[in-house]
Amino acid sequence: MTNLQDLVSAAKQGDKTAFSQLYQEIYKDLYKFAFYCLKNETDAEDAVSEAVLDAWQSLRKLRRDDSFRAWMFKILSAKCKRKMKYYAARREEADLSEVEIPVFQDRDDSLELRRAMDTLTDEERMIISLIIFGGYDSGEGADMLRLNRNTVRSKHSRALAKLRQALA
């Protein structure tokens, strides 16, 4: 298997195959992050697609090849935040509480977990998604979300408690 840093270097030189391999390495985690933040399959796919397109277009700006994964999640989290702000604005115009959660037989995510994630605030979903699906620690998540590390730790802890209660 090719070293990820070698793939990043090749992709920075315009190698589309290398970029495709990088994308394949992290797509599932990117999608899960976006899906649990946005609660909508189509919006999650759109956010990931937009993030990947932005990443391809600005890949040469990536300073450290070993930070590709974190850089991708940072781009995606910005996309998700924008969509979540849009959702919040739309909620004022119409009641979205009746939006049904789709069941996807080909996904490895359970409906029960999706419903439990619905009990969280947008910020809590973002934190949980970064830490669980992104694999980041609370400090890295804090940096990405531009929040205090202790705030992220406490919000993560409270969000996990809410999830446990919802899943009980």
Side-chain angles (χ1 to χ4, degrees):
M1 182 174 164
T2 307
N3 181 340
L4 289 180
Q5 288 181 16
D6 293 338
L7 288 173
V8 173
S9 279
K12 281 176 137 178
Q13 300 303 315
D15 185 339
K16 293 177 184 174
T17 304
F19 188 78
S20 176
Q21 288 176 327
L22 288 167
Y23 173 71
Q24 289 174 356
E25 287 286 325
I26 63 172
Y27 172 76
K28 261 189 169 176
D29 292 335
L30 292 173
Y31 176 80
K32 282 183 180 183
F33 171 81
F35 180 76
Y36 282 109
C37 286
L38 301 174
K39 302 188 286 184
N40 179 295
E41 182 182 69
T42 304
D43 286 346
E45 289 172 351
D46 288 347
V48 170
S49 294
E50 291 170 16
V52 169
L53 180 61
D54 285 359
W56 172 250
Q57 292 173 341
S58 60
L59 187 59
R60 292 178 187 205
K61 295 177 185 176
L62 178 63
R63 292 182 187 163
R64 293 182 40 216
D65 292 353
D66 63 342
S67 62
F68 176 77
R69 181 181 169 86
W71 182 67
M72 282 297 306
F73 271 93
K74 195 173 272 193
I75 293 170
L76 181 58
S77 69
K79 299 285 180 197
C80 290
K81 281 181 188 179
R82 263 188 232 115
K83 285 193 181 287
M84 287 167 27
K85 282 181 185 177
Y86 173 77
Y87 289 165
R90 295 282 306 207
R91 266 186 230 123
E92 292 174 6
E93 296 172 14
D95 182 19
L96 296 181
S97 63
E98 307 225 356
V99 174
E100 198 169 310
I101 302 169
V103 178
F104 307 110
Q105 299 301 325
D106 59 334
R107 301 277 185 232
D108 60 352
D109 306 312
S110 73
L111 179 60
E112 187 177 350
L113 178 57
R114 282 187 241 151
R115 286 193 175 138
M117 289 289 283
D118 273 349
T119 65
L120 305 178
T121 66
D122 291 346
E123 185 177 54
E124 290 168 335
R125 276 194 319 279
M126 183 78 76
I127 290 168
I128 289 292
S129 296
L130 272 175
I131 292 172
I132 293 175
F133 305 120
Y136 296 102
D137 64 32
S138 57
E140 293 167 325
D143 292 342
M144 286 183 187
L145 298 172
R146 293 187 175 101
L147 294 172
N148 180 289
R149 291 171 187 240
N150 292 329
T151 300
V152 169
R153 281 189 202 106
S154 63
K155 288 184 179 202
H156 178 243
S157 179
R158 283 193 296 271
L160 285 176
K162 278 185 183 179
L163 283 176
R164 281 187 202 101
Q165 184 177 11
L167 291 169

